[in-house]
């Protein structure tokens, strides 16, 4: 079935035969109306909507850039951080041999899942075919070179439901193998078959959050490679914690779920053992949100951000943001784009801002009742902090 035929089925099932009342469907409506397609939406005119998009597609690259600029302006977003997987063939072509220059609204994040998992065999294979020494220093140089190429905002990895760290284990010099061999076969997983010139696996599909890693605390690749380079380059490590991969394997990438409760102690140990590394973290389960706030109040090298994936719905955004304001004030980032499709920037930010505004209104009302009346300048300052200012302040924080 063609993409257009698939779209016809989805449109009919979710927007014609049923009312688009879910958050995801309502988001599509918000986005289309923001693009001045109210008439097409009112008339359920799918072909009219397609004509709008064809105007950009038919212009090729120029149309892509025009559409991208429009989306950012409509969404009111200054910049976003991309999840970049340099071992995906499609992505690597835009980084090597010559790095493509991107507009300032795009920043990069470098996926490092296999280094956390410590898969020695897979990493050594990659170093060998890429022409690096099969040593710890060779692995460090490999990571440094990709940092030079991508100039990432931070390192990044997502972790599964059985994300663990062991107590009282040596962090270096331990010969270990990976604990999640299937995860190593995914994009940015140091695959066995790597092109010497593009250094990427041809089978990679580029899924942004489909790679799950289990941190192997005893691996020297964690302590002597990843953490060393993070310290050396002053790069934070962003962790998305709590996805339960493949709960319905028949759905493939769409079959992931959420763990009821992820062990937050692993994050506490990372912050404690690597005090010179900044950690950005978000949890997928509601059950971890309180613990995350407590950890953020205890570790100066930890910053909590956003409402990720299944938490990115209005009712949960409201609950999570209220909790964070009550416990952390404005020392967190209220939301992140969490968009796998560019257009999602429009509705996710519009919906999130509306919810967060209600939360702040209630919190300011309570503060006024207690006897403190904020000025307009103070309110604006708080909003700037919650929507990026606190993050940028954290990124500049000295941990020496």
């Amino acid at each position: 079935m063609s993409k257009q035929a698939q779209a016809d089925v989805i449109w009919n099932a979710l927007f014609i035969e049923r009312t688009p009342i879910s958050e995801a469907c309502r988001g599509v409506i918000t986005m289309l109306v923001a693009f001045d397609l109210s008439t097409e939406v009112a008339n359920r005119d799918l072909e009219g909507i397609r004509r709008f998009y064809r105007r950009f597609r038919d212009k090729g690259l120029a149309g892509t850039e025009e559409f991208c600029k429009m989306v950012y302006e409509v969404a009111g977003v200054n910049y976003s951080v991309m999840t970049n997987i340099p071992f995906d063939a499609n992505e690597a072509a835009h980084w090597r041999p010559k790095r493509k220059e991107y507009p300032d609204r795009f920043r990069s994040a470098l996926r490092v899942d296999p280094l956390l998992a410590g898969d020695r065999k897979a990493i050594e294979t990659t170093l060998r075919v890429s022409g690096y020494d099969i040593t710890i220093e060779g692995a460090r140089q490999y990571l440094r070179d990709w940092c030079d190429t991508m100039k990432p905002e931070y390192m990044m990895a997502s972790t599964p439901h059985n994300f663990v760290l062991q107590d009282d284990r040596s962090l270096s010099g331990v010969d270990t193998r990976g604990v999640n061999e299937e995860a190593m076969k995914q994009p940015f997983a140091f695959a066995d078959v790597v092109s010497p010139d593009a250094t990427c696996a041809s089978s990679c599909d580029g899924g942004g959050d489909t790679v799950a890693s289990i941190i192997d605390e005893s691996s020297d690749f964690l302590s002597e490679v990843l953490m060393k380079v993070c310290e050396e380059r002053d790069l934070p490590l962003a962790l998305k914690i709590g996805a339960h991969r493949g709960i319905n394997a028949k759905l493939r990438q769409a079959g992931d779920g959420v763990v009821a409760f992820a062990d937050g102690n692993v994050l506490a140990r990372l912050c404690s053992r690597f005090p010179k590394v900044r950690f950005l973290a978000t949890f997928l389960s509601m059950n971890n949100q309180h613990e995350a706030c407590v950890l953020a109040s205890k570790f100066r090298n930890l910053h909590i951000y956003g409402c990720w994936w299944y938490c990115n719905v209005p009712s949960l955004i409201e609950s999570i943001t209220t909790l964070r304001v009550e416990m952390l004030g404005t020392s967190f980032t209220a939301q992140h784009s969490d968009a796998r499709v560019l257009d999602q920037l429009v509705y996710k930010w519009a919906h999130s801002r509306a919810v967060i505004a209600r939360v702040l209104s209630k919190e300011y009302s309570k503060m006024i009742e207690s006897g403190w009346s904020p000025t307009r300048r103070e309110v604006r300052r708080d909003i700037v902090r919650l929507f990026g200012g606190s993050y940028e302040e954290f990124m500049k924080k000295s941990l020496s």
Side-chain angles (χ1 to χ4, degrees):
M1 186 181 293
S2 68
K3 286 286 183 68
Q4 181 165 322
Q6 292 177 50
D8 289 338
V9 171
I10 294 170
W11 174 263
N12 188 60
L14 298 182
F15 293 86
I16 304 302
E17 295 178 354
R18 297 172 179 82
T19 301
I21 198 171
S22 71
E23 173 64 5
C25 289
R26 186 172 73 93
V28 173
I29 303 304
T30 297
M31 177 188 70
L32 294 175
V33 170
F35 291 157
D36 200 24
L37 296 172
S38 300
T39 300
E40 287 80 358
V41 168
N43 294 331
R44 281 55 167 170
D45 182 6
L46 179 57
E47 183 53 37
I49 295 169
R50 283 174 169 152
R51 284 196 297 271
F52 168 79
Y53 280 94
R54 287 194 198 105
R55 284 172 23 206
F56 298 96
R57 187 188 65 187
D58 292 346
K59 295 179 184 178
L61 181 58
T64 299
E65 294 177 347
E66 180 184 347
F67 181 75
C68 182
K69 181 180 179 181
M70 179 192 70
V71 167
Y72 274 81
E73 290 176 350
V74 172
V77 174
N78 292 329
Y79 67 88
S80 60
V81 181
M82 306 176 288
T83 296
N84 294 118
I85 310 171
F87 293 92
D88 173 81
N90 294 323
E91 289 200 30
H94 295 280
W95 297 105
R96 289 181 175 176
K98 183 178 179 180
R99 182 182 189 273
K100 177 179 171 58
E101 294 302 319
Y102 295 95
D104 292 340
R105 57 178 169 267
F106 290 112
R107 301 182 185 182
S108 67
L110 175 60
R111 291 294 295 244
V112 292
D113 302 73
L115 288 174
L116 272 77
D119 190 305
R120 184 176 299 275
K121 178 181 177 181
I123 294 173
E124 288 181 352
T125 299
T126 296
L127 294 177
R128 185 178 299 108
V129 299
S130 301
Y132 290 81
D133 292 338
I134 313 301
T135 62
I136 289 297
E137 181 56 32
R140 287 190 197 123
Q141 191 58 47
Y142 182 85
L143 190 56
R144 290 185 191 116
D145 288 347
W146 268 112
C147 287
D148 290 339
T149 296
M150 295 178 61
K151 297 178 173 58
E153 183 96 345
Y154 48 74
M155 308 289 196
M156 184 266 175
S158 60
T159 67
H161 64 286
N162 49 349
F163 170 84
V164 294
L165 281 177
Q166 302 170 17
D167 287 308
D168 303 320
R169 291 287 300 275
S170 171
L171 289 175
S172 62
V174 178
D175 186 15
T176 182
R177 64 180 181 84
V179 293
N180 189 349
E181 295 181 1
E182 287 303 310
M184 296 304 101
K185 300 175 184 177
Q186 299 300 316
F188 195 69
F190 297 88
D192 288 345
V193 181
V194 182
S195 169
D197 52 350
T199 60
C200 59
S202 60
S203 62
C204 293
D205 62 7
D209 281 324
T210 59
V211 184
S213 65
I214 300 174
I215 290 185
D216 184 352
E217 185 185 17
S218 64
S219 168
D220 43 3
F221 290 112
L222 169 64
S223 61
E224 298 302 317
V225 177
L226 179 56
M227 293 295 107
K228 290 289 187 183
V229 174
C230 282
E231 291 182 13
E232 178 184 299
R233 297 299 180 96
D234 196 25
L235 284 172
L237 174 61
L239 296 172
K240 293 182 174 182
I241 303 169
H244 194 151
R245 304 298 179 180
I247 58 173
N248 186 346
K250 292 182 179 179
L251 295 179
R252 300 181 183 179
Q253 291 185 17
D256 295 340
V258 56
V259 64
F261 193 90
D263 182 7
N265 287 330
V266 293
L267 182 58
R269 277 193 214 98
L270 283 173
C271 291
S272 179
R273 295 182 180 188
F274 304 104
K276 294 183 179 180
V277 175
R278 297 178 187 83
F279 293 93
L280 301 157
T282 190
F283 285 86
L284 190 53
S285 173
M286 275 296 294
N287 295 324
N288 285 110
Q289 302 305 325
H290 181 248
E291 181 182 22
C293 289
V294 173
L295 292 176
S297 70
K298 304 304 177 185
F299 293 98
R300 63 191 302 265
N301 60 334
L302 174 62
H303 185 78
I304 300 299
Y305 72 94
C307 300
W308 174 38
W309 202 352
Y310 297 117
C311 282
N312 204 335
V313 292
S315 60
L316 298 188
I317 294 171
E318 182 170 4
S319 176
I320 293 170
T321 304
T322 299
L323 174 66
R324 288 172 174 172
V325 170
E326 290 176 343
M327 295 191 67
L328 301 174
T330 59
S331 296
F332 68 97
T333 297
Q335 188 57 296
H336 69 304
S337 298
D338 196 36
R340 290 181 67 95
V341 180
L342 181 64
D343 313 34
Q344 288 181 319
L345 284 175
V346 173
Y347 93 77
K348 290 203 172 188
W349 280 108
H351 291 189
S352 291
R353 289 190 187 104
V355 174
I356 295 168
R358 292 198 298 270
V359 171
L360 291 178
S361 178
K362 292 178 182 178
E363 296 305 312
Y364 282 130
S365 295
K366 290 190 292 186
M367 186 175 64
I368 291 170
E369 290 175 3
S370 295
W372 183 281
S373 297
T375 65
R376 182 181 295 269
R377 184 189 67 81
E378 290 170 339
V379 171
R380 286 179 172 172
R381 176 198 60 197
D382 293 344
I383 292 172
V384 168
R385 282 182 57 79
L386 290 172
F387 286 94
S390 183
Y391 162 79
E392 293 178 347
E393 180 181 300
F394 176 78
M395 296 291 280
K396 296 175 183 177
K397 179 187 292 185
S398 174
L399 297 177
S400 59

